[in-house]
Amino acid sequence: MILQNSDNKITNSDKISAHLSALAQKLNISAVILVNSAGQIISSYTSSSWNFNTLSIAVLSSSTYAAANEMAKLISERGNFLTVLHEGTNYNILTSAVSSSYFLVVVFPKTTTLGLVRIFTKKTVENLYPVLQAENSNVRQQQNELDEHFQNLLSDELDRVFNGL
Amino acid sequence: MFINQALNELHLKIVYYGPGLSGKTENLNYIHKKIDPALKSDLMMLKTREDRTIFFDFIQLEVGRINGKKPKFNLYTVPGQVNYDLTRRICLNGVDGIVYVADSQIDRLKADLDTLEDLEKNLLAYGKTLENFPWVLQYNKRDLPSAAPVDLLNSKLNIYNVPYFESTAITGNGVFSTLKEVIKLTVSMVHERLKEEERAGV
């Protein structure tokens, strides 16, 4: 299912959210987090029982995934590792590359079958790839809004927040 | 730089780089201690038993909305020890701006120079150069009697004439002025780069 805005326009963000929630709801998954290579959260879906720090998991996943890919280079792998799996006693974390700049972090309980998570995560990754490609060109247009006026307002706001520190 | 359209957030990644024990973690510690709790995440520190950074430290700061956008600043440090070269490179993935924290002590000048060279090499791995990248210099530990004159440090380290700040991170002197400048410089340079790319039809 693809979500729509009130004006019936489907944005790329809507499409991404829909793909993440579809994956989470298909299986018993605690959190699905789409992260870029800088460790920034693009979008996330968390179950109602989720009470962990999503930002910290995104930042750590980004770094451990990057570290795994440096190891791939050291053993002459062609390209990056496609997935990285952390197995725990209560939860597993599966990290899968969407592209060179994005990856998907799936946190799920041990009671959820790993094989199914792998299959459906792979499908979600395939669905996300074209959406992220389209999203990249839109973001470039928005970045052009960082004009001098914006920069002056930002400077004033930093002065306000950092004042006296 | 990343703009989350759904949440209208602007994300910047700033990395504090420099030789071991130059005061990178101390910068983040002071920022974490002083900033309004409503505007910061937890301070994440990945350390060895000996209290040295093994991977990175991280904190996220935010300020009020500007033209509808909420700026969020993701601040990272790198491990300064020589052996952690690959780890430093990993931390530079997706970096938007850099604070180079130099140790002002005269006997650490060689370490400052070596790590600056290491930074240049690691940036190149991402197709970036110090000459065309937003970064600032922070001469830390100015309170120590063995601190070298700023003119000397500038002549050796400030090869691209970037903004520089004197600091004593442990007491907070110079910490926020450095942070403010690197944020301003980063946003300004990203904007210029995008304008140039637009003109060139990239």
Side-chain angles (χ1 to χ4, degrees), chain A residues 40, chain B residues 1 10-14 72-74 96 183 186-187:
Chain A
Q40 293 149 346
Chain B
M1 179 177 289
L10 166 77
H11 289 251
L12 276 186
K13 178 174 178 176
I14 308 287
K72 292 193 170 186
F73 311 113
N74 300 314
D96 296 303
I183 290 171
T186 302
V187 173

Side-chain angles (χ1 to χ4, degrees), chain A residues 34-35 65 82 96-104 124-130 132:
Chain A
L34 180 64
V35 185
Y65 186 66
L82 295 178
S96 304
V98 180
S99 68
S100 58
S101 307
Y102 300 97
F103 55 92
L104 195 62
T124 303
V125 162
E126 288 165 4
N127 291 334
L128 284 171
Y129 183 77
L132 286 167

Side-chain angles (χ1 to χ4, degrees), chain B:
Chain B
M1 179 177 289
F2 160 66
I3 294 178
N4 188 324
Q5 288 181 305
L7 302 173
N8 227 354
E9 293 175 349
L10 166 77
H11 289 251
L12 276 186
K13 178 174 178 176
I14 308 287
V15 174
Y16 285 71
Y17 208 99
L21 299 172
S22 65
K24 303 174 291 296
T25 297
E26 216 46 66
N27 267 270
L28 260 60
N29 260 330
Y30 187 80
I31 291 166
H32 181 255
K33 200 163 64 181
K34 289 291 176 179
I35 210 95
D36 179 346
L39 302 177
K40 68 184 179 190
S41 71
D42 292 338
L43 176 60
M44 188 194 300
M45 302 176 101
L46 307 181
K47 295 193 285 196
T48 65
R49 276 187 200 172
E50 294 78 30
D51 226 23
R52 303 288 299 274
T53 304
I54 191 168
F55 205 157
F56 59 84
D57 309 310
F58 168 82
I59 185 173
Q60 185 180 71
L61 306 182
E62 62 180 56
V63 295
R65 287 194 183 274
I66 297 167
N67 288 349
K69 285 189 177 57
K70 178 170 275 297
K72 292 193 170 186
F73 311 113
N74 300 314
L75 312 184
Y76 290 75
T77 64
V78 298
Q81 295 175 80
V82 176
N83 291 345
Y84 293 112
D85 178 32
L86 270 180
T87 312
R88 282 191 291 278
R89 191 200 301 166
I90 288 166
C91 293
L92 289 177
N93 201 349
V95 63
D96 296 303
I98 290 172
V99 175
Y100 188 86
V101 183
D103 191 326
S104 289
Q105 296 178 93
I106 190 74
D107 62 350
R108 295 294 289 159
L109 184 55
K110 184 176 182 312
D112 288 334
L113 285 163
D114 288 349
T115 309
L116 190 60
E117 195 177 315
D118 168 86
L119 169 60
E120 179 101 65
K121 185 192 73 184
N122 281 334
L123 268 182
L124 265 179
Y126 296 102
K128 294 166 178 158
T129 62
L130 278 177
E131 191 173 6
N132 299 304
F133 192 78
W135 67 290
V136 302
L137 267 162
Q138 185 188 68
Y139 300 127
N140 194 30
K141 305 190 184 179
R142 296 308 301 166
D143 57 325
L144 297 183
S146 53
V150 170
D151 285 349
L152 172 68
L153 294 171
N154 246 340
S155 69
K156 299 285 185 189
L157 297 168
N158 201 354
I159 39 182
Y160 297 114
N161 202 24
V162 298
Y164 64 91
F165 297 86
E166 296 182 49
S167 72
T168 307
I170 205 154
T171 61
N173 182 34
V175 168
F176 280 101
S177 47
T178 307
L179 177 58
K180 185 184 171 193
E181 183 61 29
V182 75
I183 290 171
K184 283 173 58 184
L185 191 63
T186 302
V187 173
S188 164
M189 285 186 75
V190 167
H191 180 61
E192 286 305 312
R193 178 172 55 81
L194 290 167
K195 275 203 310 195
E196 276 171 30
E197 285 179 3
E198 200 173 41
R199 275 198 292 270
V202 178

